[in-house]
Amino acid sequence: MLAQVHKATASVAENDDLDLDAALAACLQQLGLAGPHLAPPEPAARLPSVRAARPTVAVLTPFQCLPSGADARQSRPVHASRRTRLTLLLLAFACGGNSGGSGTTTSESSSSPGSPSSPTGPTDATGPSSPTTSAASSDASTNTTGSSTGDPDSSTGDPAPHVEIAGDALRIDGVPTFLYGGDLHYFRVRAPDFDAQETHTMWAATLDAMQAAGMNMVSTYVPWDYHSSAPDTYDFTGARDLGVFLDMACGRGMHVVFKPGPLITGEWPRGFGTFGAVPQWFKDNHPEALVRDANGALWTYSPTNDATQRQPTYLHKTYLAAVKAWYAAAFAVARPHLGGCIVAVQVDNETNLYWGDRFGGVDYSDTALAFYRDFLQQKYKDIDALNARYKTAHKSFAAVAPPTSKPGAGAGEWPKNPWYADWYWAGQAYAGAYLAELQAMIVAEGFAPPAALHFTNDSPFTLLFDDLPLRNVLVHDGPTKNAIGVAGLDLYPKQFTTNNNLQDQPFQADYFTRLYDHHGDLATGPQDFAYAAELQGGFYAYPILGHPKVAPAATDQLLARSIGRGLKGASFYVIRDGLNLDNSDYDYQAALTADGSKTGRYDVMARWGALLQTHGQDLLTAREVTDRVLVLANGNYAAPQGGLLDDLQRFYTMEMPALFGWLAHAGINPVIRDARTLAADELVNFDLVFYPNPDFIDDPTATMLAEYVAAGGTLVQMLWPGQRGADFVPTPASSHLSQTLFPGVPAGQWVWVGPSRSGPVNADFTGYQGKLPSYWYASFWEAPDGPAFAPFLWERTEPFGDNGDVVAYIADDAAGRRIFVGANLWARYNQDDYYILPANELQNSRTLARFITDQAGIEPAVRATGIRHLAWARRSPAALYLFVINDNTAAGPVHVELRDAAALQLDPAANYAVTEALHATPLPAATGQALLSDGVTVQVDGLSTAVVVLTPM
């Protein structure tokens, strides 16, 4: 059936004259659906978790792929008037499998040339077989990847798909596989004079070093401009011989992730400030196909206004035709390994309009503006509907101009916010349509699943300087990117030279690994699976400022905070330093220096590689032990809006991970979900829901939260109660939430000024009385008449520090229990000064978090007792894994309490072997009862990690 789908995808994607109305009607008839409106799918069943039944996420059918900024919980009409290839591609995926005919796949058998079990490549460059992929290596219980055996599907007797995500794991020829490797830039790891023999020797040595570190995968960009110096000219010889590079990797039994662009970030071709890999000849010959800014000028990525860094607009026909020719050349080189060692293709790279500012910067070309107006027409259908929402009098969609500057301050901006939001989400849709075009080309080249997995990738953050946003960019949107394939994480928690603390965003990896896993279900169906396309393996140098300090300990923590949160595959960016195209140094502080020397970062990677060789297969089956607490994000808040005290891009990308960190430090391990893709009935799995609210909320989310409270759940709204709907005017749903359920009477706010942007609020709750620091601002409220209203935070007035207006309260009456916190008390948990905050401040903050969670009777399953100590658990059928972090600079014992026998599946009567697996250090064995009574204590170096494994004896 998959073969039929992919065959149909290829043919439909190439048919520009397809009668979409007829095809859509035929498809709907095949699927047994009457009419153009599709009903929401039944909630998909999840595998049971180790704590409670894992919540169900509604999985969208292809026709319900979530429109950017929209809500997945409502039935969406299929608009046959949209004649982009995105629609055609999704049509093929929906109907191709039911179209009849036998169909064939392009997957080769495991013994085909280039497959891991049949090495190929130059004999002088082929190293030892990978310890984690060789068929002669240890059995599956201790093998990170297993061998590519092509075992048949046990239910059908047919050969397993070459690559698929199923059963919570990436499976290669049916074998669950933990991909662990790095980006090796063959185009940078080369001789300065491009000598072929020397370059090939460098490639071979690097691949050998990767395997020695326990790595089984290599990924690489394939830069278009490196291989094409003129139209219709391609050079894959000598130092540019991609085929030799692939032969070397495949001959060693390594899996390959192929990344042909066409766009790559990667500081290519000349280091910092350069970007793209689109050949200069294309830009010179086709200025009509390039991005333009709001003034109509050619836009450039370069901060120095370098004209060579102009970039193509995504959907210009001339550009797409050139990409098609490039793909034909690049995939021809890779084709001998199709169905073999190449297991995945990355569809473009960080497709977010070039990290440009959406408001004034990108993209105002004629092609992009035509798409924007088509986007509006399909959303509103009639210009009168748009005018009613915008409060305008446009004569036609063609007359609608986009915003040319970022949203401003003050309530006068509120009526403009739908206009701002539409411009932002049209940009996301433009990126999505472009990715669909590229995917159709890749499929046409034969590289379709299940022969090769498709994925996209994105960094989950906006452009910041410390914690100050610099641009309004298209931040990662899971529903957009997962319509193409699994969205890979790009994690870079250390980027600034302004401090020497371990991470700039300590909880970036924890939070976004969880969120990407949630959004990934849109591509794969319910799976416990996340993949990191780029794990920070160093960082480049800024002009004058130099390198940020990315310590080996930062790499160690990044692995713990991602693998421990459910990452099932990862590639370090980059694995070896090298040379840019102009022979300038590409010094990335990588695991291997430009001359191939090993660094302290390599030692960390090798230590984790050894752990994965022993436990990787089991970790693929492990589920995280979470508490009955939900942190509910809302992707609609990624779009900049005016007249708010919160910068929404910082709110969405920085403050949400900080909230997770605040709770994690208190010993609470919450689940992460996006309100847009959350099934309403999923909320019954949680006793407590945290919802940060910038004071506007869409009606479906407001209604869902109100129903949750009515059903007996405890809701914590943070910052604001949601006084306005999505259009920044009150709606019945927002008013019920902000007035009936959260009855505090508005009494103003105070914005903190000064370098720290913080100020105190008074506190009086169980366990603490005094003052607490808050950040950015505080909202003030007065007690209403009638409802039960119990304040626990107040404005701190001058000059004596007396209580002023209420900042936080509990409302507990017949309507249910609600908690409101009108100040940000968690921001510093995702900033670099988390590492230097006074211990008493962290302790008081922890006490507040536990006071709030106590209101819902939350009893965490696992928690560390020390300040800046973290611990959480993953449970497999065979073992309990405790991931432990010491965020203090000094080494010391970390004590972990094991508090819930049922959730942890600890048998009090059983005996357990206890091992610190990262360093292969045995700890005293203990009974289950002793573990539950006394916990586990492990010695952990400063700013370092431990993985404690408990197995029944």
Side-chain angles (χ1 to χ4, degrees):
M1 177 174 174
L2 280 172
Q4 296 169 7
V5 171
H6 300 309
K7 182 178 179 181
T9 303
S11 62
V12 172
E14 293 181 336
N15 187 354
D16 289 324
D17 299 321
L18 178 67
D19 185 341
L20 186 57
D21 296 316
L24 178 59
C27 181
L28 292 174
Q29 184 175 8
Q30 288 178 15
L31 296 175
L33 301 173
H37 290 73
L38 300 182
E42 292 296 321
R46 279 192 179 271
L47 295 174
S49 72
V50 298
R51 191 90 198 267
R54 188 176 179 195
T56 298
V57 174
V59 180
L60 304 177
T61 68
F63 286 114
Q64 292 170 301
C65 282
L66 191 66
S68 296
D71 192 290
R73 292 162 300 191
Q74 304 178 62
S75 176
R76 295 289 174 188
V78 178
H79 306 306
S81 61
R82 183 172 186 179
R83 301 184 186 276
T84 66
R85 288 193 178 184
L86 176 61
T87 306
L88 300 177
L89 188 66
L90 296 179
L91 180 63
F93 270 92
C95 298
N98 297 313
S99 60
S102 59
T104 59
T105 70
T106 56
S107 178
E108 299 173 10
S109 70
S110 61
S111 60
S112 63
S115 70
S117 59
S118 177
T120 62
T123 56
D124 61 343
T126 301
S129 181
S130 168
T132 60
T133 58
S134 170
S137 62
S138 58
D139 62 49
S141 64
T142 59
N143 187 349
T144 306
T145 65
S147 59
S148 296
T149 61
D151 290 339
D153 184 294
S154 60
S155 62
T156 65
D158 296 329
H162 181 49
V163 187
E164 64 173 344
I165 297 170
D168 291 351
L170 177 73
R171 295 173 182 268
I172 301 175
D173 297 323
V175 179
T177 303
F178 197 120
L179 291 181
Y180 183 61
D183 266 63
L184 171 52
H185 290 178
Y186 68 91
F187 48 93
R188 278 183 165 131
V189 177
R190 60 170 176 81
D193 61 355
F194 293 85
D195 179 79
Q197 183 173 354
E198 182 180 352
T199 297
H200 296 175
T201 299
M202 294 169 71
W203 294 347
T206 308
L207 292 167
D208 290 344
M210 293 174 70
Q211 286 192 299
M215 295 182 179
N216 59 11
M217 177 266 284
V218 61
S219 64
T220 188
Y221 294 128
V222 184
W224 183 1
D225 58 351
Y226 188 65
H227 294 285
S228 179
S229 59
D232 301 319
T233 300
Y234 301 99
D235 181 2
F236 291 98
T237 64
R240 291 176 166 84
D241 198 329
L242 174 63
V244 168
F245 177 78
L246 293 175
D247 287 345
M248 286 184 181
C250 299
R252 285 166 168 75
M254 298 185 79
H255 304 297
V256 175
V257 174
F258 193 71
K259 306 196 298 185
L263 298 161
I264 66 174
T265 309
E267 302 79 53
W268 176 261
R270 298 189 304 279
F272 176 81
T274 61
F275 175 102
V278 175
Q280 191 61 42
W281 59 258
F282 179 86
K283 299 175 188 178
D284 292 341
N285 294 346
H286 300 288
E288 76 283 0
L290 303 182
V291 172
R292 294 186 179 268
D293 64 21
N295 296 319
L298 290 171
W299 177 87
T300 175
Y301 167 81
S302 170
T304 61
N305 204 34
D306 181 353
T308 67
Q309 292 308 298
R310 293 166 177 165
Q311 303 297 339
T313 187
Y314 288 156
L315 293 179
H316 196 283
K317 290 183 178 180
T318 303
Y319 170 60
L320 292 176
V323 172
K324 186 174 182 179
W326 159 241
Y327 272 2
F331 282 108
V333 178
R335 190 165 288 109
H337 303 291
L338 177 63
C341 65
I342 293 179
V343 296
V345 176
Q346 181 174 293
V347 185
D348 206 48
N349 178 245
E350 294 179 353
T351 311
N352 60 6
L353 289 177
Y354 312 105
W355 293 97
D357 197 319
R358 180 59 174 157
F359 294 88
V362 291
D363 179 1
Y364 295 81
S365 65
D366 289 345
T367 301
L369 290 180
F371 184 95
Y372 165 62
R373 289 166 179 135
D374 183 60
F375 172 88
L376 294 177
Q377 184 164 10
Q378 291 179 48
K379 178 174 182 176
Y380 292 100
K381 306 299 184 295
D382 186 274
I383 192 63
D384 291 339
L386 179 143
N387 284 329
R389 190 169 185 229
Y390 283 15
K391 308 296 189 291
T392 53
H394 297 299
K395 299 297 185 182
S396 66
F397 289 103
V400 180
T404 57
S405 59
K406 67 180 182 180
E413 287 288 278
W414 292 350
K416 301 178 185 177
N417 279 334
W419 179 49
Y420 292 135
D422 281 344
W423 175 242
Y424 177 86
W425 291 112
Q428 292 282 16
Y430 192 56
Y434 170 63
L435 288 169
E437 290 276 357
L438 298 182
Q439 185 175 51
M441 296 179 197
I442 294 169
V443 169
E445 291 295 331
F447 284 74
L453 181 74
H454 289 177
F455 70 92
T456 62
N457 73 306
D458 267 312
S459 297
F461 45 81
T462 188
L463 285 180
L464 303 165
F465 179 76
D466 278 349
D467 57 6
L468 298 177
L470 298 177
R471 299 177 186 170
N472 289 301
V473 304
L474 295 183
V475 300
H476 171 72
D477 184 60
T480 299
K481 298 300 174 67
N482 280 286
I484 302 302
V486 171
L489 272 158
D490 290 0
L491 292 172
Y492 290 89
K494 181 63 182 179
Q495 299 187 39
F496 304 134
T497 60
T498 53
N499 67 84
N500 287 323
N501 293 321
L502 186 68
Q503 309 281 29
D504 299 316
Q505 297 183 31
F507 286 91
Q508 178 194 102
D510 307 70
Y511 175 83
F512 283 109
T513 300
R514 293 278 204 80
L515 185 62
Y516 276 54
D517 175 16
H518 167 57
H519 283 148
D521 289 353
L522 298 171
T524 65
Q527 301 285 340
D528 189 275
F529 180 86
Y531 172 74
E534 297 179 22
L535 281 184
Q536 183 170 20
F539 208 71
Y540 54 75
Y542 298 103
I544 302 175
L545 298 175
H547 286 96
K549 182 182 178 181
V550 186
T555 303
D556 180 43
Q557 283 218 16
L558 180 58
L559 285 162
R561 291 172 178 272
S562 53
I563 293 174
R565 298 299 185 185
L567 199 71
K568 304 288 182 71
S571 177
F572 284 103
Y573 185 94
V574 292
I575 206 68
R576 179 169 173 169
D577 297 332
L579 298 173
N580 295 312
L581 188 58
D582 60 0
N583 274 352
S584 60
D585 290 335
Y586 188 63
D587 180 0
Y588 206 80
Q589 310 173 79
L592 300 172
T593 63
D595 67 3
S597 300
K598 297 173 183 176
T599 68
R601 196 178 320 283
Y602 178 88
D603 296 336
V604 171
M605 294 177 184
R607 186 162 63 244
W608 278 87
L611 178 138
L612 290 174
Q613 285 183 307
T614 304
H615 297 283
Q617 199 77 15
D618 194 43
L619 280 169
L620 290 174
T621 70
R623 290 283 184 111
E624 190 163 353
V625 182
T626 56
D627 298 313
R628 292 180 60 85
V629 177
L630 175 66
V631 169
L632 187 59
N634 191 329
N636 290 319
Y637 295 151
Q641 300 281 258
L644 298 172
L645 293 184
D646 290 288
D647 180 283
L648 287 184
Q649 295 218 312
R650 183 183 64 211
F651 176 95
Y652 185 70
T653 65
M654 287 280 291
E655 306 298 342
M656 294 302 298
L659 173 58
F660 180 93
W662 177 52
L663 294 172
H665 185 256
I668 308 300
N669 195 13
V671 174
I672 307 298
R673 295 286 184 268
D674 184 336
R676 298 173 302 165
T677 51
L678 178 77
D681 59 359
E682 186 175 352
L683 288 178
V684 301
N685 295 299
F686 305 104
D687 297 325
L688 185 65
V689 172
F690 287 86
Y691 185 76
N693 192 329
D695 216 19
F696 74 100
I697 185 169
D698 58 281
D699 282 356
T701 300
T703 300
M704 180 175 64
L705 293 176
E707 291 173 348
Y708 169 72
V709 173
T714 300
L715 173 63
V716 184
Q717 282 221 97
M718 316 186 85
L719 302 178
W720 298 95
Q723 298 177 98
R724 288 167 287 279
D727 287 355
F728 282 75
V729 295
T731 67
S734 68
S735 296
H736 176 68
L737 185 69
S738 63
Q739 297 174 20
T740 304
L741 294 184
F742 290 87
V745 179
Q749 68 270 332
W750 185 264
V751 178
W752 303 117
V753 296
S756 68
R757 296 177 297 282
S758 67
V761 295
N762 285 346
D764 188 357
F765 51 83
T766 303
Y768 181 70
Q769 184 177 23
K771 62 181 180 180
L772 294 172
S774 67
Y775 303 96
W776 312 118
Y777 63 85
S779 62
F780 299 147
W781 308 86
E782 295 177 352
D785 295 330
F789 188 88
F792 59 92
L793 298 179
W794 295 263
E795 171 193 12
R796 185 176 178 85
T797 62
E798 299 295 343
F800 302 112
D802 294 334
N803 290 348
D805 289 317
V806 173
V807 172
Y809 62 85
I810 299 173
D812 192 355
D813 51 31
R817 175 168 289 187
R818 297 89 67 203
I819 302 171
F820 178 75
V821 181
N824 186 323
L825 299 112
W826 54 87
R828 290 301 188 250
Y829 283 85
N830 199 40
Q831 295 180 15
D832 68 275
D833 54 4
Y834 158 71
Y835 298 98
I836 58 174
L837 289 177
N840 67 322
E841 182 176 324
L842 289 170
Q843 180 59 57
N844 296 337
S845 180
R846 172 183 281 184
T847 302
L848 174 61
R850 290 179 177 176
F851 167 76
I852 291 174
T853 56
D854 284 347
Q855 305 309 303
I858 300 300
E859 288 289 341
V862 177
R863 71 182 186 191
T865 58
I867 294 298
R868 272 187 286 263
H869 289 170
L870 303 168
W872 67 96
R874 297 190 70 80
R875 194 61 168 93
S876 77
L880 179 68
Y881 295 85
L882 303 177
F883 289 81
V884 181
I885 290 179
N886 176 13
D887 271 331
N888 296 298
T889 55
V894 177
H895 182 68
V896 181
E897 297 178 341
L898 306 177
R899 300 163 56 90
D900 190 327
L904 300 172
Q905 298 180 23
L906 284 176
D907 180 356
N911 293 314
Y912 290 86
V914 184
T915 304
E916 198 290 290
L918 264 180
H919 302 86
T921 304
L923 301 177
T927 66
Q929 184 58 57
L931 291 167
L932 292 165
S933 300
D934 304 331
V936 173
T937 300
V938 59
Q939 187 76 13
V940 184
D941 289 342
L943 301 173
S944 191
T945 71
V947 179
V948 179
V949 183
L950 283 65
T951 53
M953 297 175 65

